[in-house]
Amino acid sequence: VFPARPSWSSAVSIRSPDVYPRNQRLHRNYIISVFDEEDNDVTPQPLYQADPGSVQAKASRFFLDEISGGSTSDQTITSASFSMPFSRSVLGSSRFSSQSTIESINEEMEDTFPKRDILFMSCCFPSDVQGKRVAVKEQVTENMLNAVIDIYLSETDCISLLDIPSTSVSVEADNADTITERNKQYAEICKNMVGNEKYVDRSIQTLNDALKHKQVQSDSIVMVDAGTFVSTWEMYDTVSGPEPDESVSDSETKKADIPEAAVDSSRAAEKSVSMGSTTSTGSVTSSMKDVEAFGNSLNAEADLQLIMLSERFQQNLLATERSIVGNVFQPKLAAYRQLLVLDNPDRSLNSEAVEQKTEGSENSPALEYLWTFSCELSRGRSVSSMTWNKKNPDLLAVGYGDSESSDQKPGLVCCWSLKNPTWPERFFHCDSAVTTLDFSTNNPSHLAVGMHNGTIAIYNVQSQNNQTDVINSSECPNKHMDPVWQLKWTLEELSLTGEDKVESLYSVAADGRVSKWFCACLPVDVMKLKRIHDEKKTESVVSALTPGLCFDFHPTDSNIYLVGTWEGLIHKCSCSNSQQFMETYKKHFCPVSCIAWCPLSPSLFLSCSSDWTIQLWKQDQFAPVLGFTSTQKAVCDIKWSPKWATVFGVVNVGQLEIWDLKSSIMDPLIVESAVPPVNMKCLLFASHTDCLVVGDSVGQVTVYLLKNMRIGKGSQVKDKYTLETVIQSFTSVIT
Amino acid sequence: MAEVEETLRRIQSQKGVQGIVIVNSEGIPIKTTLDNSSTVQYAGLIHQLVMKARSTVRDIDPQNDLTFLRIRSKKNEIMIAPDKDYFLIVIQNPSD
């Protein structure tokens, strides 16, 4: 008997049925298949399917195929599974059973099946134990199938894997006596050995201590249900720590703890206090939830004080006030901005009356009254001058002061904003009556104020709390002694660079000096520019200077300016020549109250005076081009319209007139009379809209809208030429 | 302090203003020019509305915050300036 061939494939090769009969006497390889009465193959399949990755799966499948394939044959063929080249050791045990089954297989097929299953198992397992075998498949050829293969089964030696002999022997065993004897001998030896005192047999018993009950009581753990509503911003707040407005940098860092008060701010004290109050009141909230009464607890009063002192509250108040006022004045403001005026839907009753009114005055140019800037501060004071802010055209500075009356009330300057016509944004009390104002261009928050006592002060309108001026000329040695009649900031171009525009403040005062003030945040270095000489020889030596009442700088060339004097003369001067006038225009015989260069035609200017006349001059002509008279009242103020070249506005004592040279040079286009005893004092056109403001002697500044001025359709350039052509046409008629 | 009082007085005297209520952070009115029941009603209802409005604004962008709230209704307009510590509520009927 010799072992099976190691080759796997050869062992697996099937013996075809027709080959079988030849070798029947040597081998009994057959496949077990079960048929029922109807010859259906009901061969049970193995329950255990080996790992498909292993070779054994193939083998068993192969085996199964053999089983099914063998259904056609009459005789069953045992496959070569019995002879599969598993390890011999395992096969040995299986061989025994297999040999026994082989003999009885044909007779009792059912009985063998369990054994067969065991066979399967034993066949299956070894391959797993062995691990994977790479199946080297030889091509099964016909010849190979037909070849005779001898397979020998043999028994292997018995291999012991583990043998632990027992240490106890039964009393009834055969060698029990000998073992007992030997034990006794050993005990004797141990007893008699030298140094056996070291070893003593001893028993011991563990003592169990007595048990005692002990009780411990502890405070019950208080459970509190807590819930929170989490939203995006709550998470953001937690992550970013305190509110961003308290310290901007904290929003970047991820601090969860609330910091103490912000440092270095005057508001810090209020804020920290207010924070402290919120934390203290927070605890109060948890105790009283549905409190209906108000004002009872001390906390509420303290809250009120703190709240009202906080700056945020003041800002909120400001915003609220503006919203309310905006609601009230909404149609007027819309008209100012030249927006479509919406009818208030709640005012359905009055709409008919309103419509009728507007229908009548649709076509002709008219002034529409919008609103009045007035408050209790300004009531009773006469408006002396007005000016728009250069940067924010909605901000109007108004100077109040009565220069003509004998009692000199302290002056007042109010800065009005369009957002609130009922209360000025800023107001400054001045020492004496304010006569003139001007906003600076380079520093839009600087407002220069000229006063009746000759002081010039500059206020910073930006800061809310600062009620005092930044600069005051009262300590200057060379300050004006007499009322400052006009102030103007001018931008001068430096001859070197041409880029940097230095701004200087010029003033003309009743002491006959036109002064330039260098303002570099410090008072002033006065440089006297001009002495206005009396043209006629006068014997009085008291003063060789006549009061200058007004001046105006050339719109494009800031070196040249015109000065109007008490005598009715208009001098054209240059900044570079402080000794002599360039030109003198003589027509008026009363003090010239106002001069205005035409902004669109730089060679024309208008002058008005108390002699009831308005003169239109051309720069190079010594006689006025045109003169206008409408009423027999002194003309206080005259201004060109910034939008229409041929339109200018005039204020004389009793009325406001709008002249349009294109339509008529004899009569004003629009006349708006003042209600006596109110006198109109000064006039200003708004730069961005069609409105103008008029100040009167009771402290009101009225805003009017110019409507239906059809001439304003063309461009400015076109208008300029229009003006010149108009003038030329008239002058040609006259001359 | 006096200026604040002055401003409040001016607001109260504006055309159409029906009332001013200042509510603290807990919803308790601390200053009012309306009668008690209206005050309490406004305080309670507006508190919830402002919380909701603020939550809405901040949910969309947590860095944003509510600064002013105006509710225009048929009969009047309610203007609310909310803050961390208080609400300022003004009711105005501009067509009066």
Side-chain angles (χ1 to χ4, degrees):
Chain A
V1 184
F2 39 91
R5 299 201 187 137
S7 164
W8 158 247
S9 54
S10 59
V12 174
S13 57
I14 318 162
R15 300 182 54 92
S16 54
D18 49 306
V19 177
Y20 173 70
R22 233 198 303 160
N23 295 308
Q24 190 171 7
R25 50 196 167 91
L26 286 179
H27 303 283
R28 291 208 195 183
N29 298 331
Y30 48 86
I31 296 170
I32 297 167
S33 53
V34 182
F35 301 91
D36 60 6
E37 295 96 4
E38 282 132 307
D39 281 345
N40 295 331
D41 185 359
V42 291
T43 313
Q45 307 302 317
L47 289 173
Y48 173 72
Q49 300 293 338
D51 191 17
S54 71
V55 175
Q56 172 52 32
K58 289 186 194 165
S60 59
R61 237 179 275 126
F62 207 61
F63 187 37
L64 292 172
D65 289 343
E66 286 177 309
I67 291 171
S68 51
S71 61
T72 55
S73 65
D74 296 332
Q75 288 146 348
T76 57
I77 303 172
T78 0
S79 74
S81 72
F82 293 132
S83 59
M84 281 186 186
F86 307 124
S87 63
R88 287 194 214 165
S89 59
V90 180
L91 217 45
S93 56
S94 63
R95 289 265 175 96
F96 278 114
S97 52
S98 68
Q99 281 183 0
S100 61
T101 51
I102 285 170
E103 277 134 24
S104 63
I105 196 75
N106 275 335
E107 289 88 20
E108 297 163 350
M109 290 197 190
E110 295 85 2
D111 292 341
T112 61
F113 283 136
K115 290 183 193 168
R116 188 182 181 76
D117 287 338
I118 295 169
L119 269 176
F120 286 163
M121 304 291 271
S122 61
C123 291
C124 293
F125 279 129
S127 76
D128 290 343
V129 167
Q130 276 197 353
K132 289 187 185 170
R133 274 169 158 254
V134 178
V136 178
K137 278 194 177 176
E138 292 179 15
Q139 285 301 319
V140 180
T141 61
E142 197 63 32
N143 290 336
M144 287 171 67
L145 287 176
N146 293 336
V148 174
I149 298 173
D150 298 326
I151 297 172
Y152 303 96
L153 301 176
S154 65
E155 185 184 337
T156 61
D157 300 329
C158 203
I159 299 174
S160 291
L161 295 175
L162 179 65
D163 184 17
I164 303 175
S166 70
T167 52
S168 335
V169 176
S170 167
V171 176
E172 293 159 5
D174 301 331
N175 53 354
D177 291 335
T178 50
I179 289 171
T180 321
E181 192 57 44
R182 280 180 60 211
N183 286 348
K184 281 185 196 158
Q185 282 175 8
Y186 183 69
E188 288 287 333
I189 294 168
C190 286
K191 238 198 291 187
N192 298 330
M193 217 164 64
V194 175
N196 68 341
E197 300 86 31
K198 294 183 192 174
Y199 306 98
V200 174
D201 275 334
R202 186 151 172 196
S203 331
I204 195 145
Q205 183 181 11
T206 19
L207 294 173
N208 294 323
D209 290 336
L211 294 176
K212 176 180 161 186
H213 286 292
K214 188 163 180 193
Q215 288 169 344
V216 173
Q217 190 174 15
S218 69
D219 289 336
S220 70
I221 299 167
V222 176
M223 304 284 217
V224 176
D225 280 332
T228 182
F229 170 72
V230 178
S231 59
T232 316
W233 52 271
E234 279 199 38
M235 289 190 283
Y236 174 84
D237 275 347
T238 315
V239 161
S240 64
E243 279 187 357
D245 59 1
E246 289 202 12
S247 50
V248 179
S249 60
D250 277 352
S251 63
E252 316 288 326
T253 65
K254 299 193 173 188
K255 291 196 295 185
D257 55 329
I258 301 172
E260 296 304 306
V263 295
D264 287 341
S265 154
S266 59
R267 308 182 291 165
E270 296 165 7
K271 284 235 162 136
S272 61
V273 172
S274 63
M275 270 194 69
S277 73
T278 47
T279 49
S280 68
T281 50
S283 56
V284 176
T285 316
S286 57
S287 55
M288 50 178 199
K289 284 187 186 170
D290 299 312
V291 177
E292 296 278 315
F294 62 93
N296 289 338
S297 60
L298 265 176
N299 280 334
E301 284 196 11
D303 278 351
L304 184 62
Q305 292 294 317
L306 286 167
I307 287 169
M308 290 180 47
L309 285 172
S310 73
E311 189 168 330
R312 290 272 296 274
F313 185 73
Q314 290 167 12
Q315 285 173 358
N316 280 345
L317 267 183
L318 183 71
T320 315
E321 192 182 359
R322 283 185 180 178
S323 312
I324 294 170
V325 167
N327 271 342
V328 174
F329 283 97
Q330 195 271 335
K332 309 295 186 189
L333 288 173
Y336 183 89
R337 296 273 188 225
Q338 294 165 317
L339 297 172
L340 194 61
V341 178
L342 299 171
D343 279 331
N344 195 340
D346 304 326
R347 273 192 172 173
S348 52
L349 298 171
N350 297 334
S351 60
E352 291 177 16
V354 169
E355 277 172 25
Q356 282 173 9
K357 205 165 84 175
T358 50
E359 272 173 24
S361 58
E362 256 213 25
N363 297 320
S364 60
L367 279 177
E368 183 188 337
Y369 165 80
L370 290 182
W371 72 84
T372 305
F373 288 110
S374 94
C375 67
E376 47 199 27
L377 276 181
S378 65
R379 218 157 285 156
R381 298 174 192 258
S382 170
V383 174
S384 58
S385 64
M386 300 183 291
T387 179
W388 292 104
N389 187 302
K390 302 290 190 289
K391 189 169 172 201
N392 177 6
D394 292 341
L395 197 63
L396 177 70
V398 179
Y400 300 88
D402 203 350
S403 331
E404 287 142 27
S405 67
S406 48
D407 59 337
Q408 287 295 312
K409 275 192 287 188
L412 175 68
V413 175
C414 285
C415 292
W416 294 89
S417 162
L418 245 71
K419 295 180 189 173
N420 189 353
T422 62
W423 188 257
E425 300 295 314
R426 306 274 189 271
F427 52 89
F428 308 103
H429 289 279
C430 305
D431 298 328
S432 82
V434 173
T435 51
T436 177
L437 293 173
D438 200 19
F439 267 110
S440 158
T441 314
N442 275 355
N443 306 314
S445 60
H446 283 185
L447 174 66
V449 179
M451 288 180 247
H452 194 80
N453 61 0
T455 318
I456 297 175
I458 297 182
Y459 288 88
N460 188 353
V461 301
Q462 205 166 24
S463 62
Q464 191 132 17
N465 299 325
N466 194 1
Q467 290 281 316
T468 58
D469 45 22
V470 172
I471 306 168
N472 195 314
S473 80
S474 41
E475 290 89 35
C476 267
N478 271 349
K479 63 170 185 155
H480 293 292
M481 297 301 160
D482 291 319
V484 177
W485 288 116
Q486 190 147 11
L487 279 178
K488 238 186 176 62
W489 292 92
T490 14
L491 287 175
E492 291 174 11
E493 291 177 28
L494 284 180
S495 54
L496 298 172
T497 58
E499 286 175 7
D500 240 26
K501 296 220 168 186
V502 174
E503 208 179 19
S504 329
L505 180 64
Y506 287 84
S507 66
V508 64
D511 58 2
R513 286 158 40 201
V514 179
S515 310
K516 176 177 175 178
W517 301 73
F518 289 108
C519 283
C521 296
L522 285 175
V524 285
D525 194 358
V526 175
M527 189 179 83
K528 208 179 289 182
L529 278 187
K530 217 109 188 86
R531 284 171 175 265
I532 303 166
H533 292 292
D534 197 346
E535 280 284 323
K536 305 176 192 156
K537 284 187 187 169
T538 56
E539 290 83 14
S540 78
V541 199
V542 174
S543 82
L545 305 172
T546 67
L549 292 176
C550 54
F551 70 156
D552 195 13
F553 278 80
H554 194 273
T556 48
D557 183 4
S558 56
N559 232 0
I560 299 178
Y561 60 94
L562 294 165
V563 185
T565 66
W566 184 267
E567 308 163 311
L569 299 171
I570 301 170
H571 301 288
K572 182 164 108 174
C573 320
S574 162
C575 296
S576 40
N577 185 354
S578 65
Q579 302 302 320
Q580 277 186 330
F581 313 124
M582 286 168 60
E583 316 243 358
T584 302
Y585 305 91
K586 192 169 173 186
K587 176 72 184 184
H588 292 288
F589 48 87
C590 277
V592 180
S593 49
C594 195
I595 299 179
W597 285 99
C598 179
L600 298 171
S601 299
S603 60
L604 294 167
F605 63 92
L606 278 169
S607 68
C608 67
S609 119
S610 322
D611 62 357
W612 311 338
T613 60
I614 304 157
Q615 306 293 335
L616 173 66
W617 305 78
K618 221 165 170 186
Q619 201 181 29
D620 41 3
Q621 293 178 5
F622 294 112
V625 174
L626 287 171
F628 315 97
T629 314
S630 64
T631 60
Q632 295 172 347
K633 298 256 178 77
V635 183
C636 306
D637 204 356
I638 185 166
K639 288 281 191 303
W640 287 94
S641 160
K643 203 167 160 186
W644 301 294
T646 56
V647 175
F648 58 89
V650 173
V651 163
N652 51 33
V653 173
Q655 59 194 32
L656 163 70
E657 297 169 358
I658 306 290
W659 291 75
D660 182 11
L661 292 175
K662 228 171 25 167
S663 59
S664 159
I665 60 166
M666 302 305 292
D667 291 311
L669 187 64
I670 309 166
V671 174
E672 179 87 15
S673 299
V675 178
V678 174
N679 291 337
M680 293 188 177
K681 290 280 183 180
C682 48
L683 160 74
L684 199 59
F685 275 92
S687 48
H688 291 268
T689 72
D690 291 344
C691 298
L692 52 98
V693 288
V694 176
D696 61 17
S697 57
V698 290
Q700 295 177 69
V701 176
T702 316
V703 180
Y704 292 98
L705 173 68
L706 279 169
K707 285 195 328 179
N708 303 319
M709 307 283 285
R710 281 163 307 227
I711 47 176
K713 299 261 171 78
S715 67
Q716 280 188 347
V717 175
K718 196 170 137 199
D719 275 342
K720 173 176 113 177
Y721 289 124
T722 315
L723 174 64
E724 305 218 327
T725 49
V726 161
I727 291 164
Q728 271 173 7
S729 65
F730 286 125
T731 50
S732 61
V733 166
I734 292 169
T735 56
Chain B
M1 187 64 192
E3 296 149 15
V4 171
E5 293 280 355
E6 170 75 19
T7 313
L8 282 170
R9 195 187 53 77
R10 271 205 318 272
I11 291 178
Q12 179 65 31
S13 60
Q14 286 289 347
K15 179 178 157 219
V17 172
Q18 288 172 349
I20 307 176
V21 182
I22 303 179
V23 182
N24 72 356
S25 52
E26 301 150 29
I28 304 171
I30 50 179
K31 186 174 169 67
T32 178
T33 62
L34 294 171
D35 56 286
N36 201 354
S37 57
S38 309
T39 302
V40 166
Q41 203 175 17
Y42 269 109
L45 293 170
I46 287 179
H47 185 82
Q48 299 169 31
L49 180 66
V50 171
M51 285 299 132
K52 188 69 183 166
R54 176 178 274 151
S55 178
T56 307
V57 168
R58 297 207 72 202
D59 269 345
I60 293 168
D61 177 9
Q63 290 176 333
N64 206 353
D65 198 5
L66 185 66
T67 53
F68 205 77
L69 186 61
R70 287 169 88 156
I71 306 163
R72 185 76 182 89
S73 68
K74 272 200 234 174
K75 292 193 181 172
N76 51 23
E77 178 163 356
I78 304 171
M79 283 169 263
I80 304 149
D83 190 60
K84 195 164 47 77
D85 311 322
Y86 60 86
F87 299 143
L88 169 66
I89 305 167
V90 177
I91 305 117
Q92 182 194 19
N93 188 355
S95 56
D96 268 347

